[in-house]
PDB file of all heavy atoms in Angstrom:
ATOM      1  N   ARG A 309       5.311  26.047 -14.120  1.00 97.00           N
ATOM      2  CA  ARG A 309       5.633  27.455 -14.359  1.00 97.00           C
ATOM      3  C   ARG A 309       4.397  28.335 -14.402  1.00 97.00           C
ATOM      4  O   ARG A 309       4.476  29.521 -14.719  1.00 97.00           O
ATOM      5  CB  ARG A 309       6.460  27.596 -15.645  1.00 97.00           C
ATOM      6  CG  ARG A 309       7.815  26.912 -15.556  1.00 97.00           C
ATOM      7  CD  ARG A 309       8.633  27.025 -16.820  1.00 97.00           C
ATOM      8  NE  ARG A 309       9.827  26.193 -16.755  1.00 97.00           N
ATOM      9  CZ  ARG A 309      10.979  26.536 -16.173  1.00 97.00           C
ATOM     10  NH1 ARG A 309      11.087  27.737 -15.628  1.00 97.00           N
ATOM     11  NH2 ARG A 309      12.003  25.714 -16.146  1.00 97.00           N
ATOM     12  N   GLY A 310       3.225  27.742 -14.124  1.00 97.00           N
ATOM     13  CA  GLY A 310       2.000  28.522 -13.999  1.00 97.00           C
ATOM     14  C   GLY A 310       1.273  28.822 -15.286  1.00 97.00           C
ATOM     15  O   GLY A 310       0.342  29.643 -15.299  1.00 97.00           O
ATOM     16  N   LEU A 311       1.633  28.155 -16.371  1.00 98.00           N
ATOM     17  CA  LEU A 311       0.985  28.424 -17.655  1.00 98.00           C
ATOM     18  C   LEU A 311      -0.223  27.519 -17.900  1.00 98.00           C
ATOM     19  O   LEU A 311      -1.101  27.870 -18.695  1.00 98.00           O
ATOM     20  CB  LEU A 311       2.000  28.239 -18.789  1.00 98.00           C
ATOM     21  CG  LEU A 311       3.145  29.252 -18.814  1.00 98.00           C
ATOM     22  CD1 LEU A 311       4.148  28.890 -19.898  1.00 98.00           C
ATOM     23  CD2 LEU A 311       2.623  30.664 -19.026  1.00 98.00           C
ATOM     24  N   LEU A 312      -0.266  26.354 -17.252  1.00 98.00           N
ATOM     25  CA  LEU A 312      -1.377  25.417 -17.405  1.00 98.00           C
ATOM     26  C   LEU A 312      -1.821  24.918 -16.045  1.00 98.00           C
ATOM     27  O   LEU A 312      -0.994  24.746 -15.144  1.00 98.00           O
ATOM     28  CB  LEU A 312      -0.978  24.195 -18.252  1.00 98.00           C
ATOM     29  CG  LEU A 312      -0.745  24.356 -19.743  1.00 98.00           C
ATOM     30  CD1 LEU A 312      -0.303  23.013 -20.330  1.00 98.00           C
ATOM     31  CD2 LEU A 312      -1.985  24.856 -20.451  1.00 98.00           C
ATOM     32  N   ASP A 313      -3.117  24.666 -15.881  1.00 97.00           N
ATOM     33  CA  ASP A 313      -3.597  23.957 -14.704  1.00 97.00           C
ATOM     34  C   ASP A 313      -3.246  22.479 -14.841  1.00 97.00           C
ATOM     35  O   ASP A 313      -3.225  21.936 -15.950  1.00 97.00           O
ATOM     36  CB  ASP A 313      -5.117  24.102 -14.572  1.00 97.00           C
ATOM     37  CG  ASP A 313      -5.544  25.521 -14.224  1.00 97.00           C
ATOM     38  OD1 ASP A 313      -4.722  26.262 -13.657  1.00 97.00           O
ATOM     39  OD2 ASP A 313      -6.697  25.879 -14.538  1.00 97.00           O
ATOM     40  N   LEU A 314      -3.027  21.812 -13.720  1.00 98.00           N
ATOM     41  CA  LEU A 314      -2.706  20.389 -13.763  1.00 98.00           C
ATOM     42  C   LEU A 314      -3.872  19.589 -14.350  1.00 98.00           C
ATOM     43  O   LEU A 314      -3.657  18.595 -15.049  1.00 98.00           O
ATOM     44  CB  LEU A 314      -2.353  19.876 -12.367  1.00 98.00           C
ATOM     45  CG  LEU A 314      -1.883  18.428 -12.262  1.00 98.00           C
ATOM     46  CD1 LEU A 314      -0.720  18.148 -13.219  1.00 98.00           C
ATOM     47  CD2 LEU A 314      -1.490  18.084 -10.836  1.00 98.00           C
ATOM     48  N   SER A 315      -5.083  20.023 -14.100  1.00 97.00           N
ATOM     49  CA  SER A 315      -6.243  19.334 -14.680  1.00 97.00           C
ATOM     50  C   SER A 315      -6.203  19.381 -16.199  1.00 97.00           C
ATOM     51  O   SER A 315      -6.583  18.413 -16.872  1.00 97.00           O
ATOM     52  CB  SER A 315      -7.545  19.945 -14.159  1.00 97.00           C
ATOM     53  OG  SER A 315      -7.603  21.337 -14.432  1.00 97.00           O
ATOM     54  N   ARG A 316      -5.719  20.482 -16.766  1.00 97.00           N
ATOM     55  CA  ARG A 316      -5.607  20.595 -18.225  1.00 97.00           C
ATOM     56  C   ARG A 316      -4.523  19.652 -18.752  1.00 97.00           C
ATOM     57  O   ARG A 316      -4.680  19.049 -19.816  1.00 97.00           O
ATOM     58  CB  ARG A 316      -5.257  22.046 -18.605  1.00 97.00           C
ATOM     59  CG  ARG A 316      -6.436  22.987 -18.550  1.00 97.00           C
ATOM     60  CD  ARG A 316      -7.248  22.985 -19.831  1.00 97.00           C
ATOM     61  NE  ARG A 316      -6.418  23.374 -20.953  1.00 97.00           N
ATOM     62  CZ  ARG A 316      -6.056  22.587 -21.964  1.00 97.00           C
ATOM     63  NH1 ARG A 316      -6.446  21.346 -21.991  1.00 97.00           N
ATOM     64  NH2 ARG A 316      -5.312  23.035 -22.959  1.00 97.00           N
ATOM     65  N   VAL A 317      -3.439  19.520 -18.023  1.00 98.00           N
ATOM     66  CA  VAL A 317      -2.382  18.591 -18.420  1.00 98.00           C
ATOM     67  C   VAL A 317      -2.933  17.171 -18.495  1.00 98.00           C
ATOM     68  O   VAL A 317      -2.701  16.438 -19.463  1.00 98.00           O
ATOM     69  CB  VAL A 317      -1.197  18.666 -17.431  1.00 98.00           C
ATOM     70  CG1 VAL A 317      -0.192  17.550 -17.705  1.00 98.00           C
ATOM     71  CG2 VAL A 317      -0.513  20.027 -17.510  1.00 98.00           C
ATOM     72  N   ILE A 318      -3.686  16.780 -17.483  1.00 98.00           N
ATOM     73  CA  ILE A 318      -4.237  15.427 -17.423  1.00 98.00           C
ATOM     74  C   ILE A 318      -5.253  15.199 -18.539  1.00 98.00           C
ATOM     75  O   ILE A 318      -5.282  14.136 -19.169  1.00 98.00           O
ATOM     76  CB  ILE A 318      -4.866  15.173 -16.039  1.00 98.00           C
ATOM     77  CG1 ILE A 318      -3.772  15.209 -14.962  1.00 98.00           C
ATOM     78  CG2 ILE A 318      -5.610  13.842 -16.006  1.00 98.00           C
ATOM     79  CD1 ILE A 318      -4.305  15.246 -13.547  1.00 98.00           C
ATOM     80  N   GLU A 319      -6.080  16.172 -18.799  1.00 98.00           N
ATOM     81  CA  GLU A 319      -7.049  16.050 -19.901  1.00 98.00           C
ATOM     82  C   GLU A 319      -6.335  15.876 -21.232  1.00 98.00           C
ATOM     83  O   GLU A 319      -6.689  15.014 -22.043  1.00 98.00           O
ATOM     84  CB  GLU A 319      -7.950  17.288 -19.953  1.00 98.00           C
ATOM     85  CG  GLU A 319      -8.948  17.389 -18.817  1.00 98.00           C
ATOM     86  CD  GLU A 319      -9.655  18.735 -18.820  1.00 98.00           C
ATOM     87  OE1 GLU A 319      -9.350  19.566 -19.720  1.00 98.00           O
ATOM     88  OE2 GLU A 319     -10.485  18.975 -17.928  1.00 98.00           O
ATOM     89  N   ALA A 320      -5.316  16.712 -21.471  1.00 98.00           N
ATOM     90  CA  ALA A 320      -4.679  16.744 -22.778  1.00 98.00           C
ATOM     91  C   ALA A 320      -3.813  15.523 -23.062  1.00 98.00           C
ATOM     92  O   ALA A 320      -3.711  15.091 -24.217  1.00 98.00           O
ATOM     93  CB  ALA A 320      -3.832  18.019 -22.911  1.00 98.00           C
ATOM     94  N   TYR A 321      -3.202  14.947 -22.025  1.00 98.00           N
ATOM     95  CA  TYR A 321      -2.246  13.853 -22.257  1.00 98.00           C
ATOM     96  C   TYR A 321      -2.644  12.573 -21.525  1.00 98.00           C
ATOM     97  O   TYR A 321      -1.830  11.672 -21.393  1.00 98.00           O
ATOM     98  CB  TYR A 321      -0.842  14.303 -21.854  1.00 98.00           C
ATOM     99  CG  TYR A 321       0.295  13.521 -22.506  1.00 98.00           C
ATOM    100  CD1 TYR A 321       0.224  13.097 -23.838  1.00 98.00           C
ATOM    101  CD2 TYR A 321       1.451  13.225 -21.795  1.00 98.00           C
ATOM    102  CE1 TYR A 321       1.262  12.389 -24.421  1.00 98.00           C
ATOM    103  CE2 TYR A 321       2.509  12.527 -22.383  1.00 98.00           C
ATOM    104  CZ  TYR A 321       2.395  12.105 -23.693  1.00 98.00           C
ATOM    105  OH  TYR A 321       3.435  11.401 -24.277  1.00 98.00           O
ATOM    106  N   SER A 322      -3.912  12.519 -21.104  1.00 98.00           N
ATOM    107  CA  SER A 322      -4.386  11.286 -20.480  1.00 98.00           C
ATOM    108  C   SER A 322      -5.847  11.030 -20.847  1.00 98.00           C
ATOM    109  O   SER A 322      -6.147  10.204 -21.701  1.00 98.00           O
ATOM    110  CB  SER A 322      -4.201  11.340 -18.953  1.00 98.00           C
ATOM    111  OG  SER A 322      -4.591  10.124 -18.361  1.00 98.00           O
ATOM    112  N   SER A 323      -6.769  11.742 -20.242  1.00 97.00           N
ATOM    113  CA  SER A 323      -8.186  11.381 -20.401  1.00 97.00           C
ATOM    114  C   SER A 323      -8.695  11.568 -21.826  1.00 97.00           C
ATOM    115  O   SER A 323      -9.431  10.707 -22.340  1.00 97.00           O
ATOM    116  CB  SER A 323      -9.039  12.179 -19.410  1.00 97.00           C
ATOM    117  OG  SER A 323      -8.820  13.573 -19.543  1.00 97.00           O
ATOM    118  N   ASN A 324      -8.328  12.643 -22.504  1.00 98.00           N
ATOM    119  CA  ASN A 324      -8.833  12.855 -23.869  1.00 98.00           C
ATOM    120  C   ASN A 324      -8.241  11.877 -24.889  1.00 98.00           C
ATOM    121  O   ASN A 324      -8.987  11.313 -25.691  1.00 98.00           O
ATOM    122  CB  ASN A 324      -8.606  14.302 -24.304  1.00 98.00           C
ATOM    123  CG  ASN A 324      -9.545  15.264 -23.595  1.00 98.00           C
ATOM    124  OD1 ASN A 324     -10.574  14.858 -23.055  1.00 98.00           O
ATOM    125  ND2 ASN A 324      -9.209  16.538 -23.571  1.00 98.00           N
ATOM    126  N   PRO A 325      -6.927  11.655 -24.915  1.00 98.00           N
ATOM    127  CA  PRO A 325      -6.418  10.629 -25.842  1.00 98.00           C
ATOM    128  C   PRO A 325      -6.913   9.219 -25.506  1.00 98.00           C
ATOM    129  O   PRO A 325      -7.106   8.402 -26.407  1.00 98.00           O
ATOM    130  CB  PRO A 325      -4.892  10.737 -25.707  1.00 98.00           C
ATOM    131  CG  PRO A 325      -4.635  11.535 -24.482  1.00 98.00           C
ATOM    132  CD  PRO A 325      -5.820  12.410 -24.294  1.00 98.00           C
TER     133      PRO A 325
END
Side-chain angles (χ1 to χ4, degrees):
R309 296 179 188 277
L311 293 175
L312 289 178
D313 291 336
L314 185 53
S315 57
R316 282 275 301 113
V317 171
I318 295 169
E319 289 171 0
Y321 202 38
S322 183
S323 55
N324 287 341

